[in-house]
């Protein structure tokens, strides 16, 4: 049985497509400190189906009309990537808090412009890097922050599988679609280098920063063969720690994601699962002092609901931001742009110097 707090954030979800259906609509219903106040979509048939299923207080076919509702506190932007920045800017200008799906954007300039708008608005803005709300990864981050001492190195990998849709189709409901859905111009998958980096590389980069702090430079290589793309990224952290990031789409095996962390007072090994299993990572935290390993269970693996609750805690109670903020979003864009430039040139690229798009 759901238990709700007395004070709850009134949330409107923009976009009723697959990511909203698989993640955000249910999160609003289940969150202890938030309610699904409104939904908005340009496709009337999809809007009606989702309204009947999730029973929001209000349904809107027009985004401006939803933003004009004084009872609405916050917006979840669950649209195609191309709409993330313009729809977020509209919400901020209307005085609403925003939780936006990743990536923030595709270029350094639009990311920095968005961050400046967030700072002026005084509203809370959070990027949907839901892996930060994997309880086992939070335990690993806490160990790194509080007990590991100096970090020597990180090896992290995110390898999508050729069998991912066979696996996920078995556990997900069939998404409701509409021929009237609003889609951006062009084909977002026309440039697969950019598409895979934005869709998957953004997760890998943010997880690395979540664990080890700022990335200052990269040197990257890319190999494309038999329809697979493999990036190996030599990474330099501001702390002096070394990093190696492996982004491969797609491996001829099961989903393969995780990391190894080596530090002064211990180490961490982690295996992360396909997110649609809603299963927390398996993490082993080794303490050098006692020569023992700690394995947190992480029983609550609903990362999307947990990220909404963290977002609401910040707005309602002034709790510290646990998710990725605008600065984190810009840092991810810079890292992805730097990787792209390094692949093109073969050179080491400093993140502070990059411009342009992924």
């Amino acid at each position: 049985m759901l238990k709700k707090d007395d004070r709850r954030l009134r949330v409107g979800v923009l976009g009723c497509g697959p990511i909203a259906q698989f993640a955000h609509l249910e999160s609003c219903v289940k969150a202890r400190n938030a309610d699904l106040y409104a939904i908005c979509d340009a496709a009337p048939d999809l809007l009606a189906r989702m309204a009947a299923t999730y029973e929001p207080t209000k349904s809107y076919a027009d985004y401006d009309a939803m933003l004009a509702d004084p009872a609405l506190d916050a917006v979840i932007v669950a649209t195609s990537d191309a709409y993330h920045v313009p729809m977020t800017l509209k919400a901020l200008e209307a005085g609403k808090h925003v939780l936006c799906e990743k990536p923030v954007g595709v270029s350094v300039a639009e990311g920095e412009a968005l961050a400046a708008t967030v700072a002026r608005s005084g509203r809370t803005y959070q990027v949907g890097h839901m892996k930060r709300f994997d309880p086992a990864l939070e335990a690993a981050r806490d160990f790194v922050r509080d007990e590991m001492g100096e970090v020597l190195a990180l090896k992290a990998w995110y390898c999508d599988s050729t069998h991912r849709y066979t696996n996920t189709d078995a556990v997900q409901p069939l998404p409701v679609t509409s021929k009237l859905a609003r889609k951006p111009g062009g084909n977002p998958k026309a440039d697969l280098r950019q598409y895979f980096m934005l869709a998957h590389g953004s997760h890998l980069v943010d997880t690395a920063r979540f664990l080890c702090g700022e990335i200052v430079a990269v040197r990257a290589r890319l190999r494309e063969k038999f329809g697979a793309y493999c990036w190996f990224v030599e990474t330099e952290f501001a702390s002096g720690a070394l990093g190696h990031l492996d982004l491969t789409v797609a491996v001829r095996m099961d989903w393969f994601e995780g990391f190894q962390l080596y530090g002064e007072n211990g180490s961490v090994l982690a295996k992360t699962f396909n997110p649609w299993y809603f299963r927390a990572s398996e993490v082993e935290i080794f303490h050098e002092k006692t020569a023992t390993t700690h394995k947190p269970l992480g029983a609550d693996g609903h990362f999307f609901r947990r990220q909404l609750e963290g977002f609401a805690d910040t707005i309602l109670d002034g709790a510290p931001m646990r998710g990725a903020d605008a600065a984190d979003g810009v840092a991810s864009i810079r890292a992805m742009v730097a990787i792209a430039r390094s692949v093109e040139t073969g050179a080491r690229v400093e993140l502070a110097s990059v411009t342009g798009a992924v």
Side-chain angles (χ1 to χ4, degrees), residues 30 60 64 118 122 188 208 216 274 284 324:
K30 288 185 174 180
Y60 291 96
D64 290 331
V118 171
V216 295
N274 185 305
E284 297 184 2

Side-chain angles (χ1 to χ4, degrees), residues 70-90:
L72 180 72
D73 297 319
V75 173
I76 295 177
V77 178
T79 62
S80 301
D81 292 354
Y83 298 131
H84 287 179
V85 172
M87 298 302 101
T88 294
L89 291 174
K90 274 196 167 191

Side-chain angles (χ1 to χ4, degrees), residues 218-346:
V218 299
R219 187 188 299 271
R221 291 179 294 161
L222 170 63
R223 179 171 168 81
E224 301 176 22
K225 286 291 180 181
F226 47 82
Y229 293 70
C230 178
W231 287 263
F232 276 5
V233 184
E234 179 184 336
T235 308
E236 299 172 29
F237 293 95
S239 66
L242 301 179
H244 179 272
L245 308 182
D246 167 6
L247 173 64
T248 304
V249 187
V251 290
R252 273 55 177 173
M253 56 187 283
D254 196 3
W255 183 279
F256 185 62
E257 182 181 358
F259 61 84
Q260 298 177 347
L261 260 171
Y262 312 131
E264 181 181 6
N265 301 318
S267 61
V268 183
L269 305 179
K271 177 181 179 180
T272 296
F273 302 93
N274 185 305
W276 302 116
Y277 291 170
F278 290 98
R279 178 179 177 184
S281 298
E282 291 180 353
V283 168
E284 297 184 2
I285 300 171
F286 182 80
H287 297 259
E288 175 69 13
K289 183 177 180 180
T290 59
T292 59
T293 297
H294 171 64
K295 296 179 68 173
L297 176 60
D300 180 7
H302 202 305
F303 327 109
F304 292 98
R305 192 206 79 247
R306 288 170 57 85
Q307 84 169 347
L308 175 57
E309 289 176 342
F311 176 66
D313 280 336
T314 297
I315 296 165
L316 296 173
D317 303 319
M321 170 78 80
R322 293 168 54 209
D325 61 15
D328 293 312
V330 173
S332 288
I333 295 175
R334 283 190 171 277
M336 292 187 290
V337 171
I339 291 168
R341 297 296 91 81
S342 182
V343 165
E344 293 166 359
T345 65

